[in-house]
Amino acid sequence: MAADVKSKLKFMDFCAGIGAGRLGVERGMNAVCVGYSEIMQSSIKTYNLLHDAIDEKNFGDLTGISTDELPDFDVMIAGFPCQTFSIIGQRQGLEDDRGQIIYHLIKILKNKTVPYFILENVKGLINHDKGNTLRTVVKLLEEAGYHTEYRILNSVNYGVPQMRERVYFVGIRKEKAKQGEFVWPDEVETPDVREYLCNENPTFLDPNDKTFQKYLGNKYNKGRVDINEILKKEYLVIDTRQSDLRTYEWKVPTLRTGRHGILYVKNGKLHKLSGFESLLLQGFDKDRARQTTGKVAEQCLLSQAGNAMTVSIIEQISARLLSYIESMA
């Protein structure tokens, strides 16, 4: 019975980015992707490299999709735009045009009567506008016919050594739902960061670099940062934030889309986090990540990884959703 369920499941990848959500669903449910939607040309290029999807149909701009042209599918995976809800943005929420993407996703869910969905957004959605935005999103999904559950999960507890809190939504058509019986995945031990900070062609930062020294001497860091002591600690991770420098042991801070600057100590040298390593920290395997080597600009790949979902979390949520579906078969 389980094999029959798996063989029938199809999914679509919306707001696809570089397809981290896609890979998670493929791994967790053994499902088949029947199309995706992405508008950024740089992301589409990386998507094709990571998933060999050059011959698959990209339905393009989500806001212009006619549901009549979409194939039937069982699961929607989407990380709807987070800029409008993030604590680092202006937090305009559903008033911002980018916040309207959720309405287009719901339209597809309703018109196609999609049985299940997995959605992802930033943690800031939870308390935006004193929780009103979250309540609105859940209400819209419920009114569209879905029993909806959500939970904040941190990637560092679900298969990668990256601290990344996000809110995840799981939806089940009400006619299929058994209230309260979807089980969220359990936390797992954080893997060894050394398996992820392993770029084969590293780029170094000279500690005596004038710009870096000026940064260390600013009003936030002066007197509290001893670079010589830092260089003694193997695999200490360093986040050169806009103001103050922060350090982490055996884990990496949240990868970011628009601002990079994560370093780590290895063999007494400062290594710059690479695009390859950032893919690993989002749950992509090494062989797949190598497909981008020399084909995608480093800064572009860092940004794309910073905007991606974490594969391992989606894989574990998908596996639990599959168990739920099998229990209904």
Side-chain angles (χ1 to χ4, degrees), residues 113-172:
T113 58
V114 181
Y116 312 98
F117 66 74
I118 300 171
L119 305 178
E120 180 251 26
N121 210 291
V122 293
K123 179 184 176 183
L125 174 63
I126 293 293
N127 60 16
H128 178 266
D129 190 23
K130 299 180 180 179
N132 289 324
T133 301
L134 174 65
R135 284 188 285 272
T136 298
V137 169
V138 173
K139 181 181 178 182
L140 289 169
L141 291 167
E142 293 278 354
E143 289 176 347
Y146 294 86
H147 169 64
T148 303
E149 299 188 25
Y150 63 89
R151 183 168 293 189
I152 295 173
L153 303 178
N154 191 333
S155 299
V156 77
N157 299 319
Y158 293 90
V160 294
Q162 180 200 171
M163 300 184 300
R164 187 182 190 87
E165 288 186 302
R166 292 293 185 265
V167 58
Y168 298 87
F169 298 83
V170 172
I172 301 162

Tab-separated table of all heavy atoms in Angstrom, residues 113-172:
chain	number	residue	atom	x	y	z
A	113	THR	N	-8.116	22.174	-6.147
A	113	THR	CA	-8.429	21.320	-4.982
A	113	THR	C	-7.237	20.411	-4.635
A	113	THR	O	-7.376	19.184	-4.547
A	113	THR	CB	-9.706	20.480	-5.201
A	113	THR	OG1	-9.547	19.663	-6.369
A	113	THR	CG2	-10.927	21.368	-5.352
A	114	VAL	N	-6.112	21.052	-4.464
A	114	VAL	CA	-4.880	20.331	-4.136
A	114	VAL	C	-5.048	19.691	-2.755
A	114	VAL	O	-5.418	20.365	-1.794
A	114	VAL	CB	-3.673	21.294	-4.128
A	114	VAL	CG1	-2.388	20.540	-3.803
A	114	VAL	CG2	-3.559	22.014	-5.472
A	115	PRO	N	-4.785	18.403	-2.606
A	115	PRO	CA	-5.036	17.744	-1.322
A	115	PRO	C	-4.166	18.228	-0.163
A	115	PRO	O	-4.630	18.312	0.970
A	115	PRO	CB	-4.744	16.266	-1.633
A	115	PRO	CG	-4.940	16.130	-3.102
A	115	PRO	CD	-4.465	17.421	-3.671
A	116	TYR	N	-2.892	18.563	-0.448
A	116	TYR	CA	-1.963	18.865	0.645
A	116	TYR	C	-1.028	20.007	0.252
A	116	TYR	O	-0.754	20.223	-0.930
A	116	TYR	CB	-1.106	17.628	0.994
A	116	TYR	CG	-1.896	16.370	1.151
A	116	TYR	CD1	-1.996	15.446	0.103
A	116	TYR	CD2	-2.569	16.086	2.343
A	116	TYR	CE1	-2.747	14.287	0.245
A	116	TYR	CE2	-3.306	14.928	2.492
A	116	TYR	CZ	-3.401	14.028	1.435
A	116	TYR	OH	-4.149	12.888	1.577
A	117	PHE	N	-0.532	20.713	1.266
A	117	PHE	CA	0.501	21.717	0.987
A	117	PHE	C	1.503	21.797	2.135
A	117	PHE	O	1.204	21.439	3.281
A	117	PHE	CB	-0.104	23.102	0.711
A	117	PHE	CG	-0.797	23.764	1.881
A	117	PHE	CD1	-0.079	24.314	2.949
A	117	PHE	CD2	-2.185	23.881	1.909
A	117	PHE	CE1	-0.713	24.940	4.015
A	117	PHE	CE2	-2.831	24.508	2.970
A	117	PHE	CZ	-2.092	25.042	4.016
A	118	ILE	N	2.699	22.271	1.790
A	118	ILE	CA	3.731	22.633	2.766
A	118	ILE	C	4.218	24.017	2.368
A	118	ILE	O	4.675	24.213	1.233
A	118	ILE	CB	4.915	21.641	2.756
A	118	ILE	CG1	4.450	20.224	3.081
A	118	ILE	CG2	5.995	22.094	3.743
A	118	ILE	CD1	5.539	19.168	2.873
A	119	LEU	N	4.085	24.977	3.278
A	119	LEU	CA	4.526	26.342	3.021
A	119	LEU	C	5.564	26.750	4.055
A	119	LEU	O	5.568	26.240	5.180
A	119	LEU	CB	3.340	27.318	3.081
A	119	LEU	CG	2.138	27.032	2.179
A	119	LEU	CD1	1.052	28.074	2.417
A	119	LEU	CD2	2.552	27.017	0.712
A	120	GLU	N	6.422	27.700	3.677
A	120	GLU	CA	7.478	28.168	4.577
A	120	GLU	C	7.585	29.678	4.524
A	120	GLU	O	7.379	30.283	3.470
A	120	GLU	CB	8.809	27.518	4.167
A	120	GLU	CG	9.997	27.905	5.018
A	120	GLU	CD	10.992	28.817	4.298
A	120	GLU	OE1	10.567	29.542	3.348
A	120	GLU	OE2	12.162	28.845	4.690
A	121	ASN	N	7.899	30.279	5.681
A	121	ASN	CA	8.130	31.718	5.734
A	121	ASN	C	9.044	32.032	6.909
A	121	ASN	O	9.370	31.151	7.712
A	121	ASN	CB	6.809	32.484	5.849
A	121	ASN	CG	6.890	33.847	5.196
A	121	ASN	OD1	7.584	34.739	5.679
A	121	ASN	ND2	6.189	34.019	4.092
A	122	VAL	N	9.416	33.296	7.029
A	122	VAL	CA	10.303	33.702	8.120
A	122	VAL	C	9.556	33.696	9.453
A	122	VAL	O	8.331	33.833	9.518
A	122	VAL	CB	10.896	35.109	7.876
A	122	VAL	CG1	11.841	35.101	6.700
A	122	VAL	CG2	9.797	36.136	7.682
A	123	LYS	N	10.324	33.568	10.523
A	123	LYS	CA	9.755	33.555	11.865
A	123	LYS	C	8.998	34.855	12.160
A	123	LYS	O	8.019	34.867	12.920
A	123	LYS	CB	10.878	33.354	12.885
A	123	LYS	CG	10.416	33.336	14.336
A	123	LYS	CD	11.607	33.242	15.274
A	123	LYS	CE	11.183	33.321	16.728
A	123	LYS	NZ	12.359	33.304	17.647
A	124	GLY	N	9.453	35.967	11.551
A	124	GLY	CA	8.821	37.260	11.802
A	124	GLY	C	7.350	37.321	11.446
A	124	GLY	O	6.625	38.199	11.917
A	125	LEU	N	6.897	36.388	10.605
A	125	LEU	CA	5.472	36.332	10.265
A	125	LEU	C	4.609	36.103	11.497
A	125	LEU	O	3.474	36.579	11.576
A	125	LEU	CB	5.239	35.216	9.239
A	125	LEU	CG	3.791	34.905	8.856
A	125	LEU	CD1	3.151	36.109	8.175
A	125	LEU	CD2	3.725	33.688	7.958
A	126	ILE	N	5.150	35.383	12.480
A	126	ILE	CA	4.370	34.986	13.648
A	126	ILE	C	3.852	36.191	14.423
A	126	ILE	O	2.685	36.236	14.836
A	126	ILE	CB	5.216	34.085	14.581
A	126	ILE	CG1	5.523	32.749	13.891
A	126	ILE	CG2	4.498	33.838	15.906
A	126	ILE	CD1	4.324	31.873	13.673
A	127	ASN	N	4.705	37.180	14.642
A	127	ASN	CA	4.272	38.322	15.467
A	127	ASN	C	4.069	39.602	14.679
A	127	ASN	O	3.851	40.655	15.267
A	127	ASN	CB	5.258	38.560	16.623
A	127	ASN	CG	6.665	38.873	16.128
A	127	ASN	OD1	6.866	39.203	14.974
A	127	ASN	ND2	7.633	38.765	17.022
A	128	HIS	N	4.135	39.512	13.356
A	128	HIS	CA	3.907	40.715	12.558
A	128	HIS	C	2.510	41.285	12.820
A	128	HIS	O	1.523	40.555	12.866
A	128	HIS	CB	4.056	40.396	11.064
A	128	HIS	CG	3.799	41.574	10.176
A	128	HIS	ND1	2.570	41.814	9.627
A	128	HIS	CD2	4.593	42.598	9.793
A	128	HIS	CE1	2.623	42.921	8.907
A	128	HIS	NE2	3.837	43.416	9.005
A	129	ASP	N	2.443	42.575	13.007
A	129	ASP	CA	1.167	43.258	13.299
A	129	ASP	C	0.451	42.582	14.471
A	129	ASP	O	-0.749	42.303	14.421
A	129	ASP	CB	0.277	43.274	12.054
A	129	ASP	CG	-0.940	44.176	12.224
A	129	ASP	OD1	-0.908	45.094	13.068
A	129	ASP	OD2	-1.940	43.933	11.507
A	130	LYS	N	1.238	42.296	15.511
A	130	LYS	CA	0.706	41.700	16.748
A	130	LYS	C	-0.016	40.373	16.490
A	130	LYS	O	-0.965	40.019	17.187
A	130	LYS	CB	-0.233	42.690	17.442
A	130	LYS	CG	0.445	44.000	17.847
A	130	LYS	CD	-0.528	44.935	18.525
A	130	LYS	CE	0.173	46.232	18.925
A	130	LYS	NZ	-0.742	47.194	19.585
A	131	GLY	N	0.459	39.653	15.478
A	131	GLY	CA	-0.121	38.340	15.175
A	131	GLY	C	-1.266	38.373	14.189
A	131	GLY	O	-1.753	37.317	13.773
A	132	ASN	N	-1.690	39.575	13.795
A	132	ASN	CA	-2.843	39.669	12.885
A	132	ASN	C	-2.539	39.101	11.506
A	132	ASN	O	-3.410	38.498	10.865
A	132	ASN	CB	-3.294	41.125	12.766
A	132	ASN	CG	-3.960	41.621	14.032
A	132	ASN	OD1	-4.664	40.872	14.706
A	132	ASN	ND2	-3.730	42.881	14.383
A	133	THR	N	-1.310	39.297	11.019
A	133	THR	CA	-0.959	38.773	9.704
A	133	THR	C	-1.019	37.255	9.702
A	133	THR	O	-1.572	36.639	8.779
A	133	THR	CB	0.444	39.251	9.289
A	133	THR	OG1	0.469	40.682	9.258
A	133	THR	CG2	0.815	38.721	7.916
A	134	LEU	N	-0.466	36.628	10.725
A	134	LEU	CA	-0.515	35.167	10.829
A	134	LEU	C	-1.958	34.681	10.885
A	134	LEU	O	-2.334	33.728	10.186
A	134	LEU	CB	0.236	34.707	12.074
A	134	LEU	CG	0.136	33.211	12.386
A	134	LEU	CD1	0.805	32.377	11.304
A	134	LEU	CD2	0.729	32.905	13.751
A	135	ARG	N	-2.765	35.331	11.713
A	135	ARG	CA	-4.172	34.919	11.824
A	135	ARG	C	-4.884	35.055	10.478
A	135	ARG	O	-5.721	34.201	10.128
A	135	ARG	CB	-4.873	35.750	12.898
A	135	ARG	CG	-4.519	35.321	14.320
A	135	ARG	CD	-5.376	36.022	15.354
A	135	ARG	NE	-4.974	37.416	15.540
A	135	ARG	CZ	-4.043	37.814	16.386
A	135	ARG	NH1	-3.401	36.925	17.128
A	135	ARG	NH2	-3.746	39.098	16.509
A	136	THR	N	-4.539	36.096	9.728
A	136	THR	CA	-5.155	36.284	8.413
A	136	THR	C	-4.754	35.173	7.464
A	136	THR	O	-5.597	34.609	6.746
A	136	THR	CB	-4.754	37.647	7.822
A	136	THR	OG1	-5.236	38.693	8.668
A	136	THR	CG2	-5.330	37.826	6.424
A	137	VAL	N	-3.463	34.834	7.437
A	137	VAL	CA	-2.978	33.775	6.550
A	137	VAL	C	-3.663	32.452	6.889
A	137	VAL	O	-4.164	31.746	5.996
A	137	VAL	CB	-1.446	33.642	6.652
A	137	VAL	CG1	-0.975	32.372	5.945
A	137	VAL	CG2	-0.756	34.859	6.053
A	138	VAL	N	-3.709	32.099	8.164
A	138	VAL	CA	-4.331	30.835	8.569
A	138	VAL	C	-5.822	30.839	8.242
A	138	VAL	O	-6.369	29.839	7.754
A	138	VAL	CB	-4.099	30.573	10.068
A	138	VAL	CG1	-4.895	29.356	10.531
A	138	VAL	CG2	-2.613	30.365	10.349
A	139	LYS	N	-6.482	31.973	8.494
A	139	LYS	CA	-7.920	32.074	8.189
A	139	LYS	C	-8.176	31.874	6.705
A	139	LYS	O	-9.120	31.161	6.310
A	139	LYS	CB	-8.453	33.435	8.640
A	139	LYS	CG	-9.940	33.618	8.382
A	139	LYS	CD	-10.410	35.004	8.832
A	139	LYS	CE	-11.892	35.203	8.530
A	139	LYS	NZ	-12.355	36.564	8.907
A	140	LEU	N	-7.351	32.489	5.860
A	140	LEU	CA	-7.513	32.349	4.416
A	140	LEU	C	-7.343	30.891	3.983
A	140	LEU	O	-8.098	30.391	3.140
A	140	LEU	CB	-6.502	33.232	3.689
A	140	LEU	CG	-6.742	34.747	3.753
A	140	LEU	CD1	-5.513	35.498	3.226
A	140	LEU	CD2	-7.981	35.126	2.945
A	141	LEU	N	-6.371	30.223	4.566
A	141	LEU	CA	-6.135	28.821	4.227
A	141	LEU	C	-7.272	27.928	4.719
A	141	LEU	O	-7.710	27.006	4.020
A	141	LEU	CB	-4.805	28.361	4.822
A	141	LEU	CG	-3.549	28.976	4.194
A	141	LEU	CD1	-2.317	28.716	5.050
A	141	LEU	CD2	-3.336	28.437	2.781
A	142	GLU	N	-7.770	28.219	5.914
A	142	GLU	CA	-8.900	27.459	6.452
A	142	GLU	C	-10.143	27.675	5.585
A	142	GLU	O	-10.870	26.731	5.264
A	142	GLU	CB	-9.171	27.884	7.895
A	142	GLU	CG	-8.076	27.510	8.884
A	142	GLU	CD	-8.176	26.065	9.358
A	142	GLU	OE1	-9.161	25.397	9.001
A	142	GLU	OE2	-7.264	25.619	10.084
A	143	GLU	N	-10.384	28.924	5.194
A	143	GLU	CA	-11.554	29.230	4.367
A	143	GLU	C	-11.444	28.610	2.980
A	143	GLU	O	-12.458	28.355	2.323
A	143	GLU	CB	-11.733	30.750	4.253
A	143	GLU	CG	-12.188	31.403	5.547
A	143	GLU	CD	-12.276	32.915	5.446
A	143	GLU	OE1	-11.742	33.474	4.452
A	143	GLU	OE2	-12.868	33.541	6.349
A	144	ALA	N	-10.207	28.365	2.548
A	144	ALA	CA	-10.000	27.719	1.245
A	144	ALA	C	-10.251	26.218	1.314
A	144	ALA	O	-10.231	25.538	0.291
A	144	ALA	CB	-8.580	27.990	0.752
A	145	GLY	N	-10.480	25.709	2.543
A	145	GLY	CA	-10.841	24.304	2.688
A	145	GLY	C	-9.788	23.423	3.311
A	145	GLY	O	-9.842	22.197	3.177
A	146	TYR	N	-8.838	24.029	4.050
A	146	TYR	CA	-7.717	23.252	4.586
A	146	TYR	C	-7.639	23.304	6.101
A	146	TYR	O	-7.731	24.377	6.706
A	146	TYR	CB	-6.390	23.763	4.003
A	146	TYR	CG	-6.286	23.513	2.527
A	146	TYR	CD1	-6.821	24.421	1.622
A	146	TYR	CD2	-5.706	22.347	2.042
A	146	TYR	CE1	-6.767	24.180	0.258
A	146	TYR	CE2	-5.640	22.098	0.682
A	146	TYR	CZ	-6.168	23.025	-0.212
A	146	TYR	OH	-6.125	22.769	-1.560
A	147	HIS	N	-7.471	22.126	6.683
A	147	HIS	CA	-7.048	22.065	8.078
A	147	HIS	C	-5.564	22.440	8.069
A	147	HIS	O	-4.760	21.808	7.394
A	147	HIS	CB	-7.240	20.663	8.642
A	147	HIS	CG	-6.592	20.468	9.980
A	147	HIS	ND1	-6.986	21.159	11.096
A	147	HIS	CD2	-5.552	19.684	10.358
A	147	HIS	CE1	-6.230	20.801	12.124
A	147	HIS	NE2	-5.350	19.909	11.697
A	148	THR	N	-5.205	23.497	8.804
A	148	THR	CA	-3.867	24.063	8.717
A	148	THR	C	-3.175	24.049	10.077
A	148	THR	O	-3.760	24.477	11.076
A	148	THR	CB	-3.932	25.515	8.195
A	148	THR	OG1	-4.587	25.525	6.920
A	148	THR	CG2	-2.540	26.112	8.048
A	149	GLU	N	-1.959	23.549	10.093
A	149	GLU	CA	-1.138	23.589	11.294
A	149	GLU	C	0.165	24.300	10.961
A	149	GLU	O	0.628	24.269	9.813
A	149	GLU	CB	-0.853	22.169	11.798
A	149	GLU	CG	-2.105	21.398	12.179
A	149	GLU	CD	-1.783	20.073	12.853
A	149	GLU	OE1	-0.680	19.967	13.435
A	149	GLU	OE2	-2.624	19.161	12.793
A	150	TYR	N	0.763	24.936	11.968
A	150	TYR	CA	2.046	25.599	11.730
A	150	TYR	C	2.934	25.437	12.958
A	150	TYR	O	2.470	25.216	14.071
A	150	TYR	CB	1.846	27.090	11.406
A	150	TYR	CG	1.238	27.905	12.513
A	150	TYR	CD1	2.031	28.518	13.481
A	150	TYR	CD2	-0.152	28.071	12.592
A	150	TYR	CE1	1.468	29.277	14.502
A	150	TYR	CE2	-0.723	28.825	13.604
A	150	TYR	CZ	0.091	29.424	14.553
A	150	TYR	OH	-0.466	30.168	15.571
A	151	ARG	N	4.234	25.546	12.707
A	151	ARG	CA	5.200	25.422	13.798
A	151	ARG	C	6.516	26.079	13.388
A	151	ARG	O	6.909	26.028	12.223
A	151	ARG	CB	5.436	23.947	14.136
A	151	ARG	CG	6.376	23.738	15.316
A	151	ARG	CD	6.353	22.303	15.804
A	151	ARG	NE	5.051	21.959	16.389
A	151	ARG	CZ	4.814	20.822	17.043
A	151	ARG	NH1	5.777	19.923	17.170
A	151	ARG	NH2	3.625	20.577	17.551
A	152	ILE	N	7.180	26.700	14.359
A	152	ILE	CA	8.521	27.245	14.135
A	152	ILE	C	9.533	26.124	14.367
A	152	ILE	O	9.529	25.477	15.413
A	152	ILE	CB	8.820	28.422	15.076
A	152	ILE	CG1	7.886	29.598	14.774
A	152	ILE	CG2	10.278	28.869	14.945
A	152	ILE	CD1	7.994	30.732	15.765
A	153	LEU	N	10.384	25.895	13.368
A	153	LEU	CA	11.438	24.900	13.484
A	153	LEU	C	12.781	25.570	13.185
A	153	LEU	O	12.853	26.483	12.357
A	153	LEU	CB	11.215	23.746	12.504
A	153	LEU	CG	9.882	22.981	12.608
A	153	LEU	CD1	9.815	21.905	11.539
A	153	LEU	CD2	9.711	22.372	13.990
A	154	ASN	N	13.820	25.099	13.861
A	154	ASN	CA	15.159	25.636	13.662
A	154	ASN	C	15.993	24.582	12.938
A	154	ASN	O	16.128	23.448	13.408
A	154	ASN	CB	15.788	25.984	15.015
A	154	ASN	CG	17.066	26.790	14.879
A	154	ASN	OD1	17.771	26.716	13.876
A	154	ASN	ND2	17.368	27.584	15.898
A	155	SER	N	16.565	24.965	11.805
A	155	SER	CA	17.319	24.011	10.983
A	155	SER	C	18.408	23.294	11.759
A	155	SER	O	18.723	22.131	11.464
A	155	SER	CB	17.939	24.737	9.783
A	155	SER	OG	16.954	25.313	8.965
A	156	VAL	N	18.990	23.957	12.753
A	156	VAL	CA	20.089	23.355	13.510
A	156	VAL	C	19.649	22.098	14.256
A	156	VAL	O	20.474	21.251	14.616
A	156	VAL	CB	20.708	24.389	14.484
A	156	VAL	CG1	19.833	24.586	15.711
A	156	VAL	CG2	22.131	24.013	14.877
A	157	ASN	N	18.350	21.954	14.449
A	157	ASN	CA	17.798	20.773	15.126
A	157	ASN	C	17.232	19.736	14.163
A	157	ASN	O	16.639	18.738	14.595
A	157	ASN	CB	16.690	21.202	16.098
A	157	ASN	CG	17.199	22.133	17.174
A	157	ASN	OD1	18.288	21.948	17.712
A	157	ASN	ND2	16.420	23.156	17.501
A	158	TYR	N	17.416	19.970	12.869
A	158	TYR	CA	16.796	19.084	11.878
A	158	TYR	C	17.743	18.735	10.737
A	158	TYR	O	17.343	18.704	9.573
A	158	TYR	CB	15.497	19.709	11.349
A	158	TYR	CG	14.439	19.789	12.413
A	158	TYR	CD1	14.338	20.913	13.225
A	158	TYR	CD2	13.590	18.718	12.659
A	158	TYR	CE1	13.400	20.982	14.247
A	158	TYR	CE2	12.645	18.777	13.677
A	158	TYR	CZ	12.556	19.906	14.462
A	158	TYR	OH	11.626	19.965	15.477
A	159	GLY	N	18.997	18.474	11.071
A	159	GLY	CA	19.855	17.852	10.075
A	159	GLY	C	20.981	18.660	9.490
A	159	GLY	O	21.779	18.128	8.712
A	160	VAL	N	21.089	19.953	9.822
A	160	VAL	CA	22.218	20.758	9.359
A	160	VAL	C	22.704	21.653	10.490
A	160	VAL	O	21.912	22.035	11.358
A	160	VAL	CB	21.848	21.634	8.130
A	160	VAL	CG1	21.538	20.780	6.916
A	160	VAL	CG2	20.688	22.570	8.450
A	161	PRO	N	23.983	22.035	10.513
A	161	PRO	CA	24.497	22.887	11.590
A	161	PRO	C	24.327	24.371	11.305
A	161	PRO	O	25.260	25.153	11.463
A	161	PRO	CB	25.974	22.480	11.649
A	161	PRO	CG	26.318	22.125	10.251
A	161	PRO	CD	25.074	21.501	9.665
A	162	GLN	N	23.141	24.766	10.895
A	162	GLN	CA	22.811	26.169	10.628
A	162	GLN	C	21.645	26.588	11.509
A	162	GLN	O	20.596	25.942	11.514
A	162	GLN	CB	22.442	26.391	9.154
A	162	GLN	CG	22.103	27.846	8.854
A	162	GLN	CD	21.282	28.056	7.585
A	162	GLN	OE1	20.789	29.136	7.294
A	162	GLN	NE2	21.101	27.002	6.805
A	163	MET	N	21.813	27.682	12.237
A	163	MET	CA	20.724	28.219	13.059
A	163	MET	C	19.793	29.030	12.156
A	163	MET	O	20.134	30.124	11.724
A	163	MET	CB	21.289	29.098	14.173
A	163	MET	CG	22.225	28.362	15.116
A	163	MET	SD	22.781	29.404	16.487
A	163	MET	CE	23.605	30.705	15.593
A	164	ARG	N	18.649	28.471	11.873
A	164	ARG	CA	17.739	29.120	10.926
A	164	ARG	C	16.303	28.829	11.361
A	164	ARG	O	15.764	27.748	11.093
A	164	ARG	CB	17.993	28.595	9.512
A	164	ARG	CG	17.226	29.319	8.411
A	164	ARG	CD	17.518	28.692	7.050
A	164	ARG	NE	16.988	29.484	5.953
A	164	ARG	CZ	17.624	30.486	5.374
A	164	ARG	NH1	18.834	30.819	5.783
A	164	ARG	NH2	17.080	31.163	4.378
A	165	GLU	N	15.686	29.769	12.026
A	165	GLU	CA	14.301	29.607	12.468
A	165	GLU	C	13.343	30.066	11.372
A	165	GLU	O	13.448	31.193	10.885
A	165	GLU	CB	14.052	30.398	13.749
A	165	GLU	CG	14.718	29.806	14.982
A	165	GLU	CD	14.323	30.525	16.242
A	165	GLU	OE1	14.548	31.755	16.322
A	165	GLU	OE2	13.785	29.887	17.163
A	166	ARG	N	12.420	29.204	11.031
A	166	ARG	CA	11.404	29.517	10.037
A	166	ARG	C	10.074	28.941	10.510
A	166	ARG	O	10.026	27.993	11.296
A	166	ARG	CB	11.764	28.941	8.669
A	166	ARG	CG	12.990	29.589	7.996
A	166	ARG	CD	12.698	31.029	7.628
A	166	ARG	NE	13.776	31.667	6.896
A	166	ARG	CZ	14.721	32.404	7.448
A	166	ARG	NH1	14.760	32.555	8.768
A	166	ARG	NH2	15.642	32.994	6.710
A	167	VAL	N	8.984	29.500	10.005
A	167	VAL	CA	7.676	28.957	10.317
A	167	VAL	C	7.218	28.117	9.136
A	167	VAL	O	7.337	28.520	7.972
A	167	VAL	CB	6.642	30.064	10.645
A	167	VAL	CG1	6.486	31.055	9.516
A	167	VAL	CG2	5.293	29.443	11.012
A	168	TYR	N	6.713	26.912	9.440
A	168	TYR	CA	6.265	25.967	8.425
A	168	TYR	C	4.777	25.696	8.613
A	168	TYR	O	4.296	25.552	9.738
A	168	TYR	CB	7.057	24.662	8.531
A	168	TYR	CG	8.534	24.861	8.290
A	168	TYR	CD1	9.394	25.207	9.340
A	168	TYR	CD2	9.073	24.738	7.012
A	168	TYR	CE1	10.752	25.418	9.115
A	168	TYR	CE2	10.421	24.943	6.780
A	168	TYR	CZ	11.254	25.290	7.836
A	168	TYR	OH	12.594	25.506	7.606
A	169	PHE	N	4.080	25.647	7.495
A	169	PHE	CA	2.642	25.377	7.494
A	169	PHE	C	2.405	24.051	6.769
A	169	PHE	O	2.980	23.804	5.704
A	169	PHE	CB	1.872	26.460	6.749
A	169	PHE	CG	1.985	27.834	7.330
A	169	PHE	CD1	3.081	28.643	7.035
A	169	PHE	CD2	0.995	28.344	8.173
A	169	PHE	CE1	3.190	29.920	7.562
A	169	PHE	CE2	1.095	29.619	8.699
A	169	PHE	CZ	2.202	30.409	8.397
A	170	VAL	N	1.558	23.225	7.329
A	170	VAL	CA	1.117	21.997	6.665
A	170	VAL	C	-0.393	22.077	6.550
A	170	VAL	O	-1.089	22.351	7.538
A	170	VAL	CB	1.533	20.742	7.451
A	170	VAL	CG1	0.887	19.492	6.848
A	170	VAL	CG2	3.052	20.599	7.455
A	171	GLY	N	-0.892	21.858	5.343
A	171	GLY	CA	-2.326	21.917	5.108
A	171	GLY	C	-2.856	20.630	4.520
A	171	GLY	O	-2.207	20.001	3.674
A	172	ILE	N	-4.027	20.231	4.972
A	172	ILE	CA	-4.684	19.011	4.509
A	172	ILE	C	-6.139	19.356	4.212
A	172	ILE	O	-6.820	19.973	5.053
A	172	ILE	CB	-4.614	17.908	5.582
A	172	ILE	CG1	-3.151	17.600	5.933
A	172	ILE	CG2	-5.350	16.645	5.132
A	172	ILE	CD1	-2.971	16.866	7.242
